Amino acid sequence: MKPMRVGLLGLGTVGGGTVEVLRRNREEIARRAGREIVVAMATARDLGKSRPVGLEGIELVAEAEAIVAHPDIEIVVELIGGETRARDLVMAAIAHGKHVVTANKALLAKHGNEIFAQAHARGVMVAFEAAVAGGVPIIKAIREGLTANRIEWIAGIINGTCNYILSEMRDKGLSFDVVLAEAQRLGYAEADPAFDIDGIDAAHKLTILSAIAFGIPMQFDKAYTEGIGRLTAADIRYAEGLGYRIKLLGITRRAPGGIELRVHPTLVPARRLLANVEGVMNAVLVKGDAVGNTMYYGRGAGAEATASAVVADLVDVTRMATADPEHRVPHLAFQPDRLSDTPILPMADVETAYYLRLRALDRPGVLADVTRICAERDISIDAIFQKEAGEGEEQVDVVILTHRTRERDIDSAIAAIQALPTIPAPVVRIRLEELS
Ligand code: NAP
Ligand code: HSE
């Protein structure tokens, strides 16, 4: 089947990340989507600019209109940001019968009602997973995974820049301006960072979440919005002293008389998971009447994290456009004829780190024997300690943490250690995963 041809508007942080992810995972994505997905055409403001991502094989054009109207382009990805030009291009793409993928929450919060109506009339999809919480698939979770529930409320850390600023100020004592500059360098901040700092970006995202949670139109103009600009280090410290962390939260709640839609700095008890979401990470807590509380966590901004959501939308649209209605989402995520025969590893070939506890006779040379056994099997020791023997005791506990190593090597080391005359009891082994 011929590749799905994508036209990309914007080659900045997210556009570049999208090109990179599509290229790097090209085969895997084709196995899931049922067709290869290729960026065939792209545009940016300055086509002469040097970019961190290679653009080989992509036709660069100066006029975005040439992309949205091109007969060979099936999906237009809007990643230029802003409202006016982006709105015109998205509306033009829809009018030309193209599916649209966008990460532009400002566009959707302000013009989403009009855009979705036009897409509905034209029979095309507008997908926007990347518009809320970067790489976290929160749109899919609410729209599909929680569809049985009456959503009661949502509370989320949905601006990575603000969360990054608050975390760095608290943990490293850095000044607001220094941390903001770093967030800009890392590609987290909006083109106008006031959108982040003043809570506007979070309100855009909350408007989208509220619409899909409660089945209401986008109503950004009704959102209460207060940013982090007036927070002081003293407030952060006092809140800590009282057992709270200050987070910029977006909260939308079904209340008796209507729906709350508000973004503001909020004290959250330090013991809550949400209070421990740090840096650019986002987290969204959703309360459904049937499921109770559920939480979705991940990188909320940045090139490849956001591209992850953009590409997921591209795969969804490709499946919709390609497969017959009964086979849109393959049972095993990959197309049935594209499953691979990669083997499941036997446990002996698995690599992980280990905690070992040995009961050892308190004699000279015991530790030397144990470390020699490890060294002979290329097992690198990360930490080792021996508990002091109690009064009159002849045996001591020795605890070893290893670096990552193969299970077959640790099995062999344990067998050799247990065979030592100075080790009177079986070695206790617990696997250790840093999960970093
Ligand atoms: P960016 O780095 O500023 O990139 C914008 C791109 O659009 C640039 O390539 C720019 O061209 C191009 N562009 C701007 N105006 C244009 C115009 N009139 N015609 C053609 N091209 C134009 O922005 P970004 O961070 O990638 O953000 C893109 C969108 O994703 C925004 O809606 C943003 O809110 C959203 N988003 C961003 C993130 C993130 O972490 N950055 C996360 C989620 C969602 P030049 O390169 O030549 O200047
Ligand atoms: N500026 C946004 C943020 C980008 O910091 O969360 C992701 O939407």
Side-chain angles (χ1 to χ4, degrees):
M1 197 178 284
K2 68 182 175 47
M4 173 63 94
R5 287 168 60 88
V6 171
L8 186 55
L9 313 181
L11 285 165
T13 303
V14 185
T18 299
V19 170
E20 180 61 34
V21 171
L22 271 176
R23 188 168 290 159
R24 192 174 64 231
N25 298 340
R26 179 184 178 137
E27 262 193 47
E28 193 106 340
I29 289 166
R31 287 176 55 219
R32 292 174 193 267
R35 266 168 91 177
E36 228 181 279
I37 300 175
V38 296
V39 177
M41 300 175 83
T43 190
R45 239 174 337 214
D46 175 4
L47 289 179
K49 200 191 257 184
S50 104
R51 306 197 181 260
V53 64
L55 300 174
E56 315 77 53
I58 301 175
E59 184 187 346
L60 298 180
V61 292
E63 293 303 323
E65 281 74 7
I67 295 180
V68 302
H70 199 286
D72 291 345
I73 295 295
E74 291 181 69
I75 309 177
V76 170
V77 180
E78 184 279 305
L79 298 174
I80 64 178
E83 287 169 42
T84 317
R85 179 104 175 104
R87 178 197 160 277
D88 293 347
L89 289 169
V90 165
M91 292 300 268
I94 294 170
H96 282 101
K98 315 291 181 199
H99 304 289
V100 172
V101 172
T102 180
N104 192 335
K105 51 273 171 164
L107 173 72
L108 294 179
K110 303 271 280 279
H111 304 288
N113 299 328
E114 172 195 18
I115 289 170
F116 295 132
Q118 172 86 351
H120 186 76
R122 196 65 178 76
V124 295
M125 291 173 73
V126 175
F128 52 92
E129 185 62 71
V132 183
V136 183
I138 184 65
I139 302 295
K140 193 158 262 208
I142 295 175
R143 211 163 47 181
E144 297 175 30
L146 298 179
T147 198
N149 288 263
R150 186 172 196 270
I151 306 284
E152 294 178 2
W153 52 262
I154 297 177
I157 294 173
I158 46 180
N159 184 269
T161 302
C162 285
N163 205 50
Y164 180 73
I165 290 173
L166 292 176
S167 297
E168 295 284 293
M169 283 174 70
R170 198 195 69 226
D171 293 347
K172 302 190 182 151
L174 297 174
S175 77
F176 188 98
D177 293 340
V178 167
V179 189
L180 173 60
E182 182 63 2
Q184 288 177 295
R185 191 187 67 77
L186 292 166
Y188 302 157
E190 294 303 302
D192 175 358
F195 272 51
D196 297 295
I197 307 310
D198 295 344
I200 298 166
D201 175 73
H204 287 147
K205 293 166 178 164
L206 190 69
T207 300
I208 299 172
L209 290 180
S210 186
I212 63 170
F214 302 125
I216 55 173
M218 304 275 186
Q219 295 167 76
F220 169 72
D221 52 335
K222 309 232 175 79
Y224 172 81
T225 307
E226 187 184 314
I228 62 168
R230 283 188 316 199
L231 279 181
T232 65
D235 293 320
I236 294 172
R237 262 199 330 274
Y238 293 145
E240 289 271 335
L242 292 164
Y244 293 87
R245 298 255 165 92
I246 301 183
K247 295 289 182 189
L248 183 74
L249 289 193
I251 298 174
T252 185
R253 182 194 305 270
R254 209 192 275 273
I259 285 164
E260 298 176 9
L261 189 62
R262 52 194 171 97
V263 171
H264 46 71
T266 313
L267 269 73
V268 181
R271 64 180 183 282
R272 295 262 180 267
L273 276 178
L274 208 55
N276 292 283
V277 172
E278 303 292 7
V280 72
M281 305 310 275
N282 279 194
V284 184
L285 195 53
V286 184
K287 169 89 188 290
D289 67 336
V291 71
N293 285 358
T294 58
M295 188 157 143
Y296 308 85
Y297 170 84
R299 199 166 268 269
E304 291 208 4
T306 312
S308 162
V310 171
V311 174
D313 277 347
L314 284 171
V315 171
D316 271 359
V317 174
T318 303
R319 282 173 176 159
M320 291 289 281
T322 302
D324 60 280
E326 279 121 59
H327 298 100
R328 277 190 178 148
V329 181
H331 291 106
L332 294 180
F334 291 83
Q335 300 297 326
D337 58 344
R338 305 291 302 273
L339 295 183
S340 105
D341 56 3
T342 313
I344 304 292
L345 286 179
M347 202 54 195
D349 287 341
V350 164
E351 264 196 15
T352 181
Y354 295 87
Y355 160 102
L356 304 178
R357 177 168 59 77
L358 338 171
R359 195 80 185 139
L361 298 186
D362 194 10
R363 305 250 174 87
V366 177
L367 281 188
D369 284 341
V370 169
T371 52
R372 176 185 47 77
I373 287 170
C374 289
E376 283 167 358
R377 289 158 182 80
D378 238 5
I379 296 169
S380 166
I381 292 176
D382 183 31
I384 186 164
F385 74 84
Q386 176 182 322
K387 198 165 174 306
E388 232 173 81
E391 186 69 29
E393 271 185 3
E394 293 213 325
Q395 297 179 5
V396 289
D397 277 339
V398 176
V399 172
I400 297 174
L401 299 185
T402 74
H403 288 292
R404 289 173 71 81
T405 188
R406 266 192 327 170
E407 181 101 353
R408 81 169 72 250
D409 295 329
I410 211 81
D411 284 346
S412 152
I414 289 173
I417 291 169
Q418 284 176 169
L420 292 171
T422 47
I423 304 292
V427 172
V428 172
R429 167 242 310 264
I430 305 176
R431 294 171 190 86
L432 183 160
E433 294 286 353
E434 292 289 348
L435 305 179
S436 56

